[in-house]
Structure formats: structure tokens, C-alpha cells
């Protein structure tokens, strides 16, 4: 990044623009895509700090897991202080590989933190007060073959209760259980299995008042958002689960996916489910009648799909029955406090338009959030006495604390509602127009468009500040982020549009939205490009194989062969594609690898060599076939990267190579940045 001191020698507005602020002079007319921007790939890769969960220590201070690209993606437990302090030593990292996507890698009680160590996947105990040597709690099995996630301290017995995934016998079909790990005598013991027999478990949550535990379980072929069950079990004096009751999810006439059980300070069980309306709302279990009653109902989503463990979308303030919650509606988040005794709700005003996890204290809470101008952050929010208004809001952590210097370059997302190819149906997207205070496009030119297809596919893209989006828009690209049918945040009916139609509905929606922008004169029809990661990479490849809307594409660890994916992917998703694709014929017909003859434009592929979700063979097969067909194609492979790139240098390289690939092959402009392009087969 240029230093501001060099701006005195700048000879033109374009050169001065590299320093991060508008020059005050009239913008220079230059081809879209060629604009110089201070939001470089170095800035983007350095700003890409991740959050891996939040929790409250005994002294009321926050702990969080922070992923650092500059430390090769290492996940570090950090404690809030005058200056944040790393809790775990340099040679440790807090990350679990349970269900491949992990999450729920640590828990804290008083001043003790238990965490899953990335390298050996064992659980360790550590004081939050000193950076001592972590003490192992689980056996050494000679390799990272047993993972732990979503654990909680058991207040009734001196132990830690957690979900365990054991891959020792089979990595493709590991056993999942809920088990207890002793914390008492300092001797490492085998975990004691409390619950087993089903395919998957999550959210073991223990009532502090009585000896009972709630949990969620589900079985193949369902994903947890398709159909799951909420159970409660009662502990005997020896700590075993004796009696068990299914609270929600067992009625065959009522399709629902209960999630996020939590015991209130009074010992009542609250949870979120989507029975009836198809929207995830807050409910409560009445134990003595075994009834489920609605606490708050709205056509909005009060949680998100369980891709990772440890989601916390709501929490109780102190010992009260006031619940802090957030929900998604029409592409934005709302934050509120619910008095669950009387059912009254107060919506809270904060600078965040997008919210995720929350942890609560007495009259304050911490929330993960962002907006179109604020990157992913954690804020501490204090409330007034009757808990209806915000009295203070302070950001204590930011994924990128110095982004404010680039604010004059930010492109604000426009929420787009568009008609799909199904009559009367709408879908949604965020459109970011080109934005740079120092440049404007040429009068007779429209900008190139990059369409992004999010992963999942059961996920949601959100209109928040993301420097990897601003990297494109500040150089003169238009950018479109599509919530195609099948995305979350819009209820079950919208989510289930993709069932049996993956590779059709998502592709149609991405093409339809791009067409809407062309027809409204906002983008150049001859320069439509598409990019996506993972499942989004599949939508990208399918769009290129089965439609002629786009002129070039980039697939990041995308799926080319659906049958190969089904045969090789991990247990969590091993039946997922059956619901999304359907029969054998559909598997063949919708796999881009089988229709390479239909590809007509250039493709660049990026792949991590340690990827267990989408193995490297997929990218290699597509690359080989396109190369043999004579289309311009490039493949970039990264040693040591899994599903998703975590190392700063690889994040940077991926971004720059996409930019220069599109510029050379469809852009008709020269990129302002000094990037050495990789060799493109059938072009260089």
C-alpha cells in the first residue's frame, strides 16, 4: 500500500488516488476496470481476519477466536483488555475439524477455557488469566482423527460435555456422539459416551438448575435445516442420561428443524424452530404438559442454517427472562429485546444492518455485526434500566480496523428484487455500482459486471462491507451478489426452491439478474463475468456450461462432477446432494464435466490440495478437458490449503489473478495494478 507521504509528488489525480482519498479534482475519464485504487489485494488479504466464535469469561470480559491470514490462517483465542491479549501460546490454534466446517471450538467458565487444538484436534484446558501451557484433557490417539465441538461445562458434575466426531475407523463415515470429559483429577481419561446411535448431534445444553440436558439430533438424508429433533434427557446421580423426551421434530405430520436450545435462568427450555410458518421463530417447551408454545412469531428468520457448530442467535440478559435476539427480513438484520414473560418487544437501534452471534451479560451484551460501511466487527452494547434502549455502543474488535481511510471509495449495495423464470416468483441480490472519487467511465462505455454466486448453496450473501467486493468496484467494475432461490434468510419455502433443482434454479436466477442489469443499461452485455466458491463454483461452472450469458468465469474450489462429489465428500454432506439433485440421470445431466463441449468461454480455476469437501480431482478434470477443447484455461493449486483459502498470500494471488484474467480475455482494458499474469493455456 502506498504511504501518504508520497502523494506530494503525484503528477495526476490517478497517481494521487493510490493514497486512499479523493483528490478534490474533477474525476478523470478512464476505461472501466482500469482505475487505480488504494484497495489493493494486499489490503484485502490483510483485512480478511475471521471470527471463530465469542464467549464471556467469569470477569465479564469477552473472549473471541480470531483467524489471522498473516499467520497462515491460525485461529487464536483473544481476550478483551485495554489492549487485547492472546490467551493461547504461539504453537497452539483453536480450531476443530468436526463436520469439516468446525465451529464451537472453545467454551469458557469463570476463568477456565477449554479449546480444540487444530494440529492434534485434542481438547486442552487453559487459564484465561495467564498465558501458561495448555493442559490436554483428551487422549492422544496418534493423529488428528478425533474432533470435538460445541462443548459446554457441566455445572452438576466436574466435566465437559461435547459433540465428538471419531474418524479412526472411517474418515468418510465417522461416528458422532455426545460425550463427557472429566475435568476433576488431572488424569486424561477416555470420554464417557452419553448419547449415541444417530448420525449427527449438536447443541448439548445443560440446565444450571436441574440435572437435565437438551440437544439436537438428525439423521441421513436430512441436513439439520431440513428436519431435526430436539430432545431433553435427565441425568442420574452417576451422571448418565436415564429418561429422554423428544420435545420437537418427531411428529411426522409436522416438518420442522428445531435448533439452538437454551435454558433460561428460571430453568425453562427455549429454542428456535420453523414449524407452521416455515420461518425460524422463538418457542418454549412446557415440561409438565410436554407442549411447545410460541414465544414470538414473525415472517423472519431468527437463526441461520447449522453449517458450523456453536451458533448463538439469542441470549438471556442476566437472571431475567429478557431475551436479546436478532432476525433477518428482506435482506437485513434487526436487533431487539423480548420480555418473554409478557411477549413485548423493543427493537434496538445500532449502526449494524447485519447481525450474527450474541453473548449476554446482565444489562449489556456483545454482538457480531457489520453494515455497508462497517466491516465484520464485535460491539459491546449497554442497555438502559428497563432494557428497551441502547445507552452505549462501542466496537471492541474489527476484522479490519483501518478501512475507514478508504471510505470515499466504497460502493454501497443496492438491494435488488427481480423476477425469476418462474411466473410470479421473485429473487434477490445486492448490486454494487462502480465507485471511485478520482475516476469516471468513458461517456460511450458501460462497466463490466462480475456476478458472484455464494457457496452453500444453503447460505445467504449479505450486503455488508467486504473489501474483496470493493477491490472490484473501486477499479470500475459493477458487482452483483445473488441470493438465488435456495438461499437462506427468506424462509423455508424460498430455501426449498432448490430441492431437486440445483444447477437449474440457481443458474437461472444468476442469469436473470444479470439480464435485468443489462436491460436497465447499468452494465455491458459483452463483459459479463461470473465467479463463485465451492457450491458457488458449481453454479459458476453450470452457468458457463449450460447458458451463454457469461463471457468468462472463475471457479474457486468449485464442483464440476456431482457424482464424484457424492462419492468422495465427507459424512455431513454425503446425502445433501441427493436432495438437491435427485436421480442418477440428473447427477449426470447437471455435471459440467460431462458437457465440456458446451463451454464456449475462458475459465480460471483455483484449488486447495488438502480440500476434503471438493477434492482437487474436480478442478483438474475440468482444466484438462477445457485445455483439450482449446478454450483459454488456467489452474492454480495451493499446497496446504483446505476448503477455503486462509493464507494471506493465496487470498491475494487469487484476487489478482481473477482480475487480470478477466481483463486480458474479456475486459478490453489494462489493469492499473502491477500484476504478473500466470500462463493461460490456449491463449499465451
Amino acid at each position: 500500500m502506498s504511504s501518504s507521504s508520497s502523494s506530494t509528488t503525484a503528477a495526476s489525480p490517478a497517481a494521487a488516488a493510490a493514497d486512499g482519498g479523493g483528490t478534490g479534482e474533477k474525476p478523470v475519464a478512464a476505461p472501466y476496470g482500469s482505475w487505480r485504487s488504494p484497495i489493493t489485494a494486499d489490503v484485502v488479504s490483510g483485512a480478511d481476519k475471521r471470527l471463530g466464535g465469542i464467549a464471556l469469561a467469569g470477569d465479564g470480559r469477552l473472549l473471541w477466536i480470531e483467524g489471522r491470514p498473516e499467520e497462515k490462517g491460525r485461529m487464536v483465542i483473544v481476550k478483551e483488555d485495554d489492549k487485547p491479549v492472546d490467551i493461547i501460546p504461539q504453537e497452539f490454534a483453536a480450531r476443530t475439524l468436526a463436520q469439516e466446517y468446525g465451529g464451537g471450538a472453545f467454551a469458557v467458565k469463570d476463568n477456565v477455557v477449554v479449546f480444540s487444538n487444530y494440529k492434534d484436534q485434542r481438547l486442552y484446558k487453559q487459564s484465561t488469566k495467564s498465558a501458561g501451557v495448555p493442559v490436554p484433557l483428551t487422549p492422544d490417539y496418534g493423529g488428528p482423527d478425533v474432533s470435538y465441538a460445541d462443548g459446554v461445562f457441566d455445572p452438576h458434575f466436574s466435566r465437559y460435555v461435547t459433540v465428538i466426531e471419531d474418524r479412526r475407523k472411517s474418515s468418510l463415515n465417522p461416528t458422532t456422539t455426545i460425550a463427557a470429559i472429566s475435568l476433576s483429577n488431572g488424569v486424561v481419561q477416555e470420554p464417557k459416551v452419553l448419547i449415541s446411535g444417530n448420525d449427527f448431534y449438536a447443541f448439548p445444553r445443560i440446565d444450571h438448575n436441574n440435572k437435565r440436558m437438551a440437544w439436537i439430533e438428525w439423521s441421513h438424508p436430512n441436513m439439520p435445516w431440513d428436519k431435526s429433533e430436539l430432545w431433553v434427557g435427565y441425568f442420574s446421580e452417576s451422571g448418565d442420561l436415564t429418561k429422554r423426551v423428544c420435545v420437537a421434530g418427531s411428529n411426522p405430520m409436522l416438518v420442522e428443524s428445531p435448533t439452538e436450545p437454551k435454558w433460561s435462568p428460571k430453568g425453562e427450555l427455549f429454542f428456535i424452530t420453523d414449524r407452521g410458518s416455515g420461518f425460524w421463530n422463538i418457542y418454549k417447551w412446557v415440561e409438565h404438559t410436554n407442549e411447545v408454545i410460541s414465544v414470538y412469531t414473525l415472517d423472519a428468520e431468527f437463526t441461520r442454517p447449522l453449517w458450523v457448530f456453536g451458533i448463538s442467535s439469542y441470549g438471556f440478559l442476566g437472571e431475567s427472562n429478557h431475551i436479546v435476539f436478532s432476525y433477518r427480513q428482506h435482506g437485513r438484520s434487526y436487533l431487539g429485546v423480548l420480555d418473554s414473560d409478557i411477549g413485548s418487544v423493543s427493537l434496538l437501534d445500532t449502526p449494524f444492518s447485519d447481525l450474527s452471534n450474541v453473548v449476554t451479560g446482565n444489562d449489556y451484551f456483545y454482538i457480531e455485526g457489520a453494515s455497508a460501511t462497517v466491516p465484520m466487527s464485535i460491539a459491546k452494547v449497554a442497555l438502559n434500566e428497563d432494557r428497551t434502549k441502547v445507552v452505549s455502543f462501542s466496537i471492541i474488535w474489527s476484522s479490519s480496523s483501518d478501512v475507514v481511510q478508504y471510505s470515499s471509495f466504497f460502493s454501497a449495495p443496492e438491494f435488488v428484487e427481480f423476477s425469476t423464470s418462474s411466473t410470479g416468483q421473485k429473487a434477490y441480490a445486492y448490486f454494487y455500482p462502480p465507485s471511485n472519487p478520482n475516476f469516471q467511465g468513458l461517456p460511450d462505455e458501460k462497466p463490466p459486471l462480475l456476478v458472484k454466486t455464494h457457496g452453500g448453496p444453503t447460505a445467504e450473501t449479505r450486503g455488508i462491507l467486504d473489501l474483496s467486493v470493493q477491490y472490484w468496484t473501486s477499479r470500475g467494475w459493477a458487482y452483483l451478489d445473488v441470493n438465488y432461490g435456495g438461499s437462506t434468510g427468506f424462509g423455508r419455502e424460498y430455501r426449498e426452491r432448490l430441492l431437486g433443482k440445483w444447477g437449474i434454479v440457481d443458474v437461472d436466477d444468476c442469469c436473470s439478474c444479470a439480464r435485468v442489469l443489462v436491460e436497465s443499461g447499468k452494465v455491458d452485455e459483452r463483459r459479463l463475468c461470473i465467479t463463485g466458491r465451492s457450491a458457488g463454483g458449481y453454479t459458476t461452472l453450470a452457468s458457463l456450461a449450460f447458458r451463454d450469458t457469461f463471457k468468462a468465469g472463475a471457479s474457486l474450489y468449485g464442483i464440476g462432477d456431482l457424482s464424484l462429489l457424492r462419492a468422495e465428500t465427507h459424512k455431513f454432506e454425503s446425502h445433501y446432494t441427493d436432495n438437491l439433485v435427485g436421480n442418477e440421470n440428473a447427477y449426470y445431466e447437471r455435471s459440467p464435466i460431462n458437457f465440456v463441449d458446451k463451454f464456449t468461454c475462458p475459465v480460471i480455476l483455483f484449488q486447495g490440495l488438502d480440500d476434503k469437501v471438493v477434492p482437487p480431482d474436480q478442478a483438474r478434470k475440468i482444466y484438462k478437458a477445457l485445455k483439450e477443447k482449446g478454450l483459454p484455461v488456467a489452474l492454480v493449486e495451493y499446497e496446504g490449503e483446505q476448503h477455503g483459502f486462509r493464507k494471506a498470500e493465496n487470498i491475494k494471488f487469487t484476487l489478482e489473478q481473477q482480475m487480470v484474467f478477466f481483463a486480458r480475455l474479456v475486459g478490453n482494458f489494462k489493469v492499473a495494478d502491477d500484476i504478473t499474469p500466470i500462463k493461460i493455456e490456449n491463449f499465451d
Side-chain angles (χ1 to χ4, degrees):
M1 196 197 315
S2 308
S3 68
S4 53
S5 60
S6 65
S7 62
T8 52
T9 59
S12 71
D19 292 295
T23 61
E25 295 182 31
K26 194 176 171 216
V28 173
Y32 287 111
S34 72
W35 304 350
R36 184 172 294 282
S37 166
I39 304 171
T40 62
D42 276 314
V43 169
V44 176
S45 62
D48 201 22
K49 279 194 190 140
R50 297 180 177 219
L51 264 183
I54 55 178
L56 219 49
D59 59 6
R61 300 210 177 181
L62 191 74
L63 266 60
W64 64 89
I65 294 182
E66 166 179 311
R68 297 176 180 163
E70 72 278 12
E71 293 184 38
K72 302 203 180 301
R74 176 174 167 250
M75 305 296 276
V76 187
I77 301 178
V78 183
K79 186 176 182 188
E80 175 191 10
D81 213 323
D82 298 335
K83 192 170 177 249
V85 201
D86 289 4
I87 294 291
I88 56 174
Q90 185 70 37
E91 61 274 19
F92 286 82
R95 185 177 159 211
T96 173
L97 292 175
Q99 279 179 197
E100 202 62 34
Y101 299 112
F106 81 123
V108 61
K109 184 186 180 216
D110 300 329
N111 296 305
V112 175
V113 63
V114 169
F115 70 95
S116 174
N117 184 43
Y118 175 56
K119 197 168 180 184
D120 56 11
Q121 289 293 291
R122 294 171 75 185
L123 284 182
Y124 287 78
K125 182 171 76 169
Q126 160 107 35
S127 165
T128 62
K129 289 187 165 177
S130 63
V133 179
V135 178
L137 293 173
T138 53
D140 180 356
Y141 295 116
D145 296 327
V146 179
S147 295
Y148 309 85
D150 214 4
V152 288
F153 287 84
D154 184 341
H156 310 294
F157 306 93
S158 181
R159 63 188 187 177
Y160 187 74
V161 173
T162 179
V163 176
I164 299 185
E165 184 179 85
D166 187 341
R167 299 180 293 277
R168 284 177 294 173
K169 286 188 180 150
S170 165
S171 62
L172 283 180
N173 191 29
T175 54
T176 307
T177 55
I178 294 176
I181 284 139
S182 173
L183 295 172
S184 53
N185 56 12
V187 178
V188 172
Q189 299 170 349
E190 277 291 326
K192 174 183 178 177
V193 173
L194 300 174
I195 305 165
S196 63
N198 212 334
D199 294 317
F200 302 99
Y201 298 96
F203 294 112
R205 298 295 181 259
I206 297 168
D207 176 14
H208 279 245
N209 303 299
N210 299 301
K211 292 181 179 173
R212 53 190 181 162
M213 177 174 82
W215 70 91
I216 299 290
E217 59 180 66
W218 69 99
S219 54
H220 288 315
N222 295 307
M223 296 302 279
W225 50 82
D226 295 325
K227 201 170 186 308
S228 58
E229 294 177 349
L230 167 61
W231 286 77
V232 169
Y234 298 81
F235 292 125
S236 65
E237 289 310 305
S238 63
D240 290 308
L241 277 172
T242 47
K243 184 183 157 203
R244 299 177 193 187
V245 179
C246 186
V247 170
S250 62
N251 180 351
M253 307 304 290
L254 191 68
V255 175
E256 63 177 325
S257 49
T259 183
E260 287 202 62
K262 285 189 180 181
W263 298 96
S264 77
K266 292 181 186 172
E268 294 181 301
L269 181 65
F270 286 72
F271 62 99
I272 294 174
T273 191
D274 59 350
R275 57 172 57 191
S277 72
F279 286 92
W280 275 313
N281 287 182
I282 301 176
Y283 287 78
K284 166 169 105 167
W285 177 52
V286 182
E287 184 182 25
H288 64 277
T289 56
N290 194 23
E291 270 183 291
V292 167
I293 59 171
S294 166
V295 176
Y296 190 57
T297 317
L298 199 63
D299 282 356
E301 298 282 51
F302 282 72
T303 186
R304 54 196 191 280
L306 197 147
W307 278 106
V308 296
F309 288 107
I311 293 170
S312 176
S313 305
Y314 70 103
F316 297 92
L317 285 165
E319 294 302 305
S320 74
N321 259 19
H322 283 81
I323 298 171
V324 175
F325 64 84
S326 72
Y327 62 80
R328 295 286 290 171
Q329 197 174 44
H330 302 309
R332 67 160 291 156
S333 296
Y334 297 84
L335 180 66
V337 177
L338 165 71
D339 182 334
S340 64
D341 289 335
I342 58 173
S344 71
V345 163
S346 306
L347 288 183
L348 304 176
D349 197 21
T350 74
F352 291 153
S353 58
D354 189 279
L355 301 158
S356 45
N357 293 319
V358 62
V359 295
T360 48
N362 284 323
D363 51 0
Y364 67 93
F365 58 92
Y366 292 88
I367 184 111
E368 295 174 16
S371 76
T373 53
V374 181
M376 179 51 74
S377 307
I378 306 170
K380 183 176 184 177
V381 184
L383 300 174
N384 62 353
E385 209 171 310
D386 59 3
R387 300 180 167 123
T388 56
K389 285 192 173 67
V390 173
V391 292
S392 78
F393 177 94
S394 54
I395 289 180
I396 65 152
W397 178 89
S398 171
S399 59
S400 179
S401 51
D402 57 356
V403 296
V404 68
Q405 64 182 298
Y406 309 114
S407 57
S408 64
F409 290 81
F410 293 162
S411 174
E414 299 167 12
F415 187 66
V416 179
E417 184 179 282
F418 62 95
S419 297
T420 73
S421 54
S422 297
T423 310
Q425 220 179 53
K426 300 282 188 208
Y428 311 99
Y430 296 99
F431 175 66
Y432 299 81
S435 174
N436 186 316
N438 305 311
F439 292 97
Q440 60 188 28
L442 300 175
D444 57 347
E445 190 193 20
K446 288 175 182 144
L449 174 71
L450 183 61
V451 173
K452 184 190 150 219
T453 58
H454 67 68
T458 309
E460 180 189 3
T461 191
R462 297 175 163 209
I464 62 174
L465 181 59
D466 179 347
L467 287 187
S468 64
V469 174
Q470 305 298 330
Y471 174 82
W472 294 89
T473 54
S474 63
R475 282 167 176 72
W477 280 75
Y479 194 99
L480 181 70
D481 214 343
V482 187
N483 274 317
Y484 47 77
S487 302
T488 54
F490 305 94
R492 182 182 278 266
E493 193 183 320
Y494 194 88
R495 196 167 72 237
E496 292 188 345
R497 282 184 192 177
L498 212 54
L499 293 182
K501 293 185 177 169
W502 192 27
I504 298 171
V505 165
D506 49 326
V507 169
D508 277 352
D509 287 355
C510 290
C511 295
S512 294
C513 197
R515 288 252 153 258
V516 167
L517 294 178
V518 167
E519 284 157 18
S520 62
K522 289 183 175 173
V523 299
D524 184 349
E525 183 174 25
R526 294 157 306 174
R527 294 189 291 176
L528 303 178
C529 299
I530 186 167
T531 184
R533 308 169 181 207
S534 187
Y538 166 69
T539 300
T540 292
L541 292 169
S543 298
L544 298 172
F546 305 125
R547 303 285 189 284
D548 58 3
T549 305
F550 300 102
K551 306 300 182 249
S555 166
L556 284 65
Y557 40 95
I559 300 145
D561 185 335
L562 293 169
S563 301
L564 193 61
L565 176 77
R566 180 173 54 169
E568 293 186 344
T569 199
H570 55 134
K571 177 187 175 186
F572 178 56
E573 292 184 77
S574 57
H575 293 268
Y576 180 37
T577 48
D578 293 344
N579 294 336
L580 294 174
V581 179
N583 60 26
E584 288 304 320
N585 186 45
Y587 268 93
Y588 183 85
E589 292 290 332
R590 289 192 225 145
S591 292
I593 191 70
N594 300 325
F595 298 93
V596 173
D597 57 313
K598 292 191 172 180
F599 279 83
T600 56
C601 67
V603 182
I604 186 166
L605 305 140
F606 299 87
Q607 180 68 44
L609 292 178
D610 292 353
D611 195 335
K612 302 273 196 310
V613 181
V614 181
D617 278 1
Q618 299 247 356
R620 287 173 180 163
K621 277 179 77 176
I622 291 272
Y623 170 71
K624 186 167 176 282
L626 293 180
K627 186 177 162 185
E628 283 169 6
K629 192 189 174 191
L631 280 174
V633 63
L635 170 64
V636 177
E637 296 184 325
Y638 296 123
E639 294 276 355
E641 288 282 21
Q642 295 162 312
H643 196 65
F645 306 147
R646 290 169 178 266
K647 297 175 185 174
E649 63 271 25
N650 296 341
I651 295 167
K652 175 190 174 184
F653 193 79
T654 303
L655 199 52
E656 289 187 332
Q657 292 303 327
Q658 283 184 83
M659 172 66 76
V660 80
F661 183 85
F662 292 147
R664 294 179 71 202
L665 289 149
V666 298
N668 303 324
F669 58 82
K670 190 172 185 314
V671 176
D673 307 76
D674 185 17
I675 303 168
T676 306
I678 54 167
K679 182 172 187 271
I680 300 168
E681 295 294 337
N682 302 318
F683 183 75
D684 288 319

